Amino acid sequence: MTQKKISTATLLTMKQQGEKICALTAYDASFAKLFDEQGIDVILIGDSLGMVLQGHNDTLPVSVDDVAYHTRAVRAGTQRAFVIADMPFMSYATPEQACMNAAKLMVAGASMVKLEGGEWLLHTVRMLVERSVPVCGHLGLTPQSVHVFGGFKVQGRSDLQAEQILEQAKALEKAGIQLLVLECIPSPLAKKIRDALTIPVIGIGAGVDCDGQILVMHDMLGVSANYMPKFSKNYLAETGDLRAAVSQYINDVRAGDFPGAEHSFQ
């Protein structure tokens, strides 16, 4: 593990060298510092805060100001890890709106912003990158589209849907994203996408073959207010200590022991 500050170049090198990328969400300085000290590579200020902090049933009520507030807190506790901030629901409906709101998150301390969606975002991605805003894409189960999907459901199980997700991933990379999150898709599809892209691919419920893994910290610690997703694991119950839980999660991801088949979809 390098002790140098993580950058997009670091993450790309890790993919090229076959070193797994370890990521967690965080929302405050104390947990960000703990995760950073244990060696986490990426910290995401997720709009998941709407569910795990605010108690909503989905991520839709989260505002840009909410994410900016927590981004400032996370940045204050972070020295080494790469910090990504989620763009909330309808905060990037137009390219112009995306630029304005991404600027707020970058000023708050993010080094990259994350957007959910495929083909319709290509112009937005190009505009952001042209204006020096690094972008992370997000495909598969995109939580901001939960009402379109009819719930939190695995995506990409049909041949047509799988091909669409693969093509969207390629198009997003061509448009300029430097990182891609794949959520709740079959493991073979995630591997196919990882092999097709030169940028790092981070999975959550997408199998062990991604270039790295991310979990919501409350799921990883077994303290989520709602439920434990199939793709997560309670590391606090296994270790009995916060720091040991984070360390074990990192070790398991690096070794390819997490996620197992029981945390994945076929």
Side-chain angles (χ1 to χ4, degrees), residues 25 27 43-49 59 62-68 71 83-89 91-92 101-102 105 110 112-116 136-138 143-144 181 183 214:
T25 66
Y27 314 94
I43 294 177
L44 169 69
I45 300 90
D47 58 3
S48 50
L49 69 89
T59 65
V62 176
S63 70
V64 173
D65 287 342
D66 289 337
V67 178
T71 298
V83 176
I84 305 174
D86 260 343
M87 296 278 284
F89 178 65
S91 67
Y92 49 99
N101 289 321
L105 300 182
M112 176 179 276
V113 299
K114 181 167 75 65
L115 314 177
E116 296 181 9
C136 174
H138 186 154
Q144 292 173 17
V181 170
E183 181 168 356
I214 186 168

Side-chain angles (χ1 to χ4, degrees), residues 7-69:
S7 67
T8 53
T10 311
L11 299 174
L12 180 59
T13 299
M14 291 176 73
K15 176 186 174 85
Q16 293 168 343
Q17 295 180 349
E19 181 181 355
K20 295 286 188 177
I21 298 165
C22 302
L24 285 170
T25 66
Y27 314 94
D28 64 38
S30 296
F31 275 104
K33 185 174 186 291
L34 187 154
F35 297 166
D36 198 55
E37 290 174 346
Q38 295 305 306
I40 209 75
D41 301 311
V42 175
I43 294 177
L44 169 69
I45 300 90
D47 58 3
S48 50
L49 69 89
M51 300 176 74
V52 297
L53 297 187
Q54 298 174 341
H56 299 300
N57 291 324
D58 52 46
T59 65
L60 274 59
V62 176
S63 70
V64 173
D65 287 342
D66 289 337
V67 178
Y69 172 87

Side-chain angles (χ1 to χ4, degrees), residues 160-181:
L160 176 60
Q161 197 177 55
E163 185 62 27
Q164 288 174 336
I165 294 173
L166 173 60
E167 292 306 313
Q168 288 173 348
K170 292 177 180 178
L172 284 168
E173 179 180 38
K174 186 175 180 181
I177 67 167
Q178 292 176 279
L179 200 65
L180 178 65
V181 170

